């Protein structure tokens, strides 16, 4: 039987990490002790990574100025070492409590103003703002596929690359996902993918001012206004995507809008496991 951990890379056509022990099953007695801050090394550096990271690091002032956002992570193709020339830049955004829709509104506004937001026909090196969750809702186990063959979710977590943290809080997202260690018992449960980006911290004065203006009663009214004006549109889009076999999440704790590949990956994974 094929190695179930490394099979994911074959399915997704991603280069396998050189120190693949992080993704193999071991008994507790055989568990390897990895040095702190050990980084994944790659057999071959993606030829587009330098131009992508140069661009990402360029917008450090923007990350520090996004209201109601606690953390930003890079994920998917850029952290999987699978960039193409026309790839977009996927980011996973953690918002402050009860500020989910305000965070999304301002992030889309800011990225849109500087023409860095991904659109359907304009995605090359643009930021894909499609996955938001609140800082009190970072255990992602509840959104796993019911048949437990959802390996895509855990690989996303394993490959997260911190880009911005308002207050540096190392590795806390792994603590919020206790089942992660059952999937990857040898993973050091820390951010260990190195793609040569910087970690930006703290917040700008501009962000402080905007949060003050939109935090209390006026901000709560804006939150409700966004929720209820968008409701009919989201209901229509959700049904349309469901009819095509795609899945999104829209609730008060999480917004996830991108096309979900997990059903496809889970299906292939289940078949390949048997071979």
């Amino acid at each position: 039987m094929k190695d179930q951990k490394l099979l994911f890379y074959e399915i997704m056509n991603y280069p396998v990490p050189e120190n693949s022990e992080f993704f193999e099953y071991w008994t507790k007695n055989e568990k390897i002790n990895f040095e702190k801050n050990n980084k994944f090394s790659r057999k071959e550096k993606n030829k587009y990574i330098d131009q992508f990271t140069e661009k990402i690091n360029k917008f450090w002032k923007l990350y520090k100025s996004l209201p109601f956002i606690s953390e930003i992570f890079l994920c998917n193709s850029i952290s999987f070492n699978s960039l193409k020339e026309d790839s977009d830049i996927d980011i996973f955004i953690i918002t402050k409590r009860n500020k989910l829709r305000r965070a999304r509104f301002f992030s889309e506004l800011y990225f849109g103003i500087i023409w860095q937001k991904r659109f359907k026909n304009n995605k090359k090196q643009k930021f894909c703002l499609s996955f938001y969750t609140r800082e009190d809702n970072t255990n992602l186990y509840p959104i796993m596929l019911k048949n437990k063959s959802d390996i895509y979710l855990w690989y996303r977590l394993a490959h997260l690359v911190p880009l911005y943290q308002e207050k540096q809080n190392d590795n806390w997202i792994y603590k919020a996902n206790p089942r992660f260690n059952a999937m990857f018992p040898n993973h050091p449960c820390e951010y260990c993918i190195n793609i040569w980006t910087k970690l930006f911290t703290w917040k700008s004065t501009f962000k402080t001012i905007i949060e003050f203006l939109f935090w209390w009663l006026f901000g709560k009214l804006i939150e409700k206004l966004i929720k209820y004006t968008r409701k009919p549109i989201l209901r229509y889009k959700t049904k349309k995507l469901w009819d095509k076999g795609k899945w999104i999440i829209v609730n008060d704790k999480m917004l996830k809008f991108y096309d979900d590949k997990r059903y496809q990956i889970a299906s292939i994974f289940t078949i390949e496991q048997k071979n």
Side-chain angles (χ1 to χ4, degrees):
M1 185 176 69
K2 295 181 181 179
D3 189 316
Q4 294 183 11
K5 295 302 183 195
L6 304 184
L7 180 60
F8 175 84
Y9 294 91
E10 182 179 322
I11 293 170
M12 298 296 290
N13 195 28
Y14 290 157
V16 179
E18 199 168 271
N19 49 340
S20 57
E21 301 89 5
F22 283 172
F23 300 108
E24 295 175 353
Y25 284 110
W26 295 73
T27 66
K28 288 185 178 179
N29 293 332
E30 294 173 325
K31 220 172 182 183
I32 297 173
N33 292 319
F34 292 100
E35 294 181 7
K36 187 174 177 59
N37 297 323
N38 187 20
K39 304 293 183 183
F40 277 117
S41 57
R42 300 293 188 177
K43 292 181 179 178
E44 183 179 351
K45 185 177 179 181
N46 185 283
K47 64 180 180 179
Y48 300 111
I49 190 68
D50 288 337
Q51 56 182 281
F52 272 78
T53 53
E54 182 181 356
K55 177 173 182 175
I56 290 167
N57 289 332
K58 175 182 176 182
F59 293 104
W60 64 271
K61 289 184 180 179
L62 174 65
Y63 315 136
K64 291 171 176 277
S65 300
L66 294 170
F68 309 114
I69 287 176
S70 301
E71 301 192 60
I72 303 173
F73 296 94
L74 295 165
C75 59
N76 293 358
S77 59
I78 189 166
S79 62
F80 279 116
N81 197 37
S82 60
L83 287 172
K84 299 177 182 178
E85 186 178 8
D86 62 344
S87 292
D88 56 8
I89 303 168
D90 290 291
I91 57 178
F92 172 42
I93 295 174
I94 310 293
T95 76
K96 297 182 179 179
R97 296 187 182 191
N98 303 317
K99 313 293 188 302
L100 184 68
R101 290 175 175 83
R102 275 169 279 182
R104 178 173 181 255
F105 171 79
F106 281 108
S107 61
E108 292 212 332
L109 177 65
Y110 287 18
F111 277 99
I113 288 174
I114 62 172
W115 202 245
Q116 292 303 317
K117 181 179 178 296
R118 179 195 191 278
F119 292 98
K120 186 175 181 180
N121 298 319
N122 183 18
K123 72 170 189 174
K124 183 178 179 180
Q125 294 190 22
K126 303 295 184 182
F127 289 85
C128 181
L129 313 172
S130 58
F131 195 177
Y132 299 77
T133 193
R134 291 178 3 183
E135 59 190 5
D136 58 338
N137 187 55
T138 53
N139 182 358
L140 301 182
Y141 180 76
I143 68 169
M144 270 193 75
L145 300 182
K146 300 301 181 184
N147 62 6
K148 309 304 179 187
S149 61
D150 184 357
I151 62 170
Y152 190 78
L153 174 65
W154 299 122
Y155 273 82
R156 290 191 65 166
L157 278 176
H159 290 76
L160 287 178
V161 177
L163 177 62
Y164 167 74
Q165 294 178 336
E166 185 173 288
K167 296 180 180 179
Q168 192 165 352
N169 192 357
D170 291 340
N171 312 313
W172 70 274
I173 202 164
Y174 293 115
K175 297 175 183 176
N177 288 271
R179 289 179 174 85
F180 175 84
N181 191 248
M183 183 66 181
F184 297 134
N186 282 336
H187 194 281
C189 289
E190 60 183 55
Y191 309 123
C192 54
I193 302 294
N194 180 21
I195 60 170
W196 305 278
T197 52
K198 298 176 183 177
L199 172 61
F200 303 102
T201 56
W202 308 112
K203 60 181 179 179
S204 68
T205 303
F206 183 73
K207 176 177 179 176
T208 302
I209 294 171
I210 295 297
E211 287 185 338
F212 175 78
L213 294 174
F214 289 88
W215 192 278
W216 307 111
L217 180 60
F218 181 62
K220 291 178 180 178
L221 291 174
I222 294 293
E223 191 87 12
K224 289 184 178 181
L225 180 64
I226 295 171
K227 176 180 178 178
Y228 290 109
T229 54
R230 293 278 298 169
K231 199 170 184 178
I233 301 171
L234 290 173
R235 187 184 294 120
Y236 168 76
K237 284 187 175 181
T238 302
K239 184 181 183 306
K240 189 176 179 181
L241 287 171
W242 265 103
D243 292 341
K244 294 181 178 179
K246 297 176 181 179
W247 182 49
I248 64 174
I249 299 174
V250 180
N251 57 46
D252 290 335
K253 292 186 176 182
M254 183 179 292
L255 301 172
K256 177 177 153 309
F257 296 110
Y258 59 85
D259 296 343
D260 201 320
K261 299 178 182 177
R262 291 184 298 151
Y263 288 100
Q264 176 189 354
I265 301 307
S267 176
I268 299 174
F269 181 67
T270 303
I271 294 171
E272 292 289 338
Q273 274 183 307
K274 299 175 182 178
N275 294 336

